[in-house]
Amino acid sequence: NCRQTLPILAFVPSEDVARKLSLVWGVTPYIVSFSENPEVTVQRAITYISAQKLLKKKSRIVIVSDIRASNEPAMTVQIRHT
């Protein structure tokens, strides 16, 4: 079985992107307002999933995002503990 067993939650800035991602198996898109500061956007997403009880305490989450490095965006993969 090649299907993932853990949920994939995608936080996107628009309804258009959310609709497209809703067609991808196993991906659940959520619309959040994006900030110029990627960390602010990540914190909004974490706050949302915590409030919706989609995240258990002491969980590990994987975040694929951009960050600011020397005022330039850089793609990252982060593992965080809640």
Side-chain angles (χ1 to χ4, degrees):
N1 184 354
C2 295
R3 303 202 191 267
Q4 76 283 353
T5 57
L6 297 173
I8 299 174
L9 310 178
F11 293 88
V12 299
S14 71
E15 181 70 34
D16 183 53
V17 175
R19 269 195 305 273
K20 290 174 184 173
L21 279 175
S22 69
L23 298 174
V24 178
W25 178 267
V27 176
T28 305
Y30 297 93
I31 300 170
V32 296
S33 61
F34 275 39
S35 170
E36 288 290 323
N37 181 343
E39 183 59 29
V40 171
T41 304
V42 168
Q43 287 304 316
R44 285 177 185 160
I46 291 171
T47 298
Y48 178 84
I49 60 177
S50 294
Q52 298 297 312
K53 309 272 192 252
L54 298 171
L55 182 65
K56 296 177 184 174
K57 291 190 186 272
K58 297 187 179 183
S59 293
R60 283 181 286 173
I61 57 175
V62 177
I63 300 167
V64 179
S65 174
D66 59 357
I67 61 168
R68 295 282 174 199
S70 301
N71 293 327
E72 295 292 324
M75 293 303 296
T76 66
V77 175
Q78 305 170 45
I79 299 175
R80 296 195 189 182
H81 301 272
T82 59

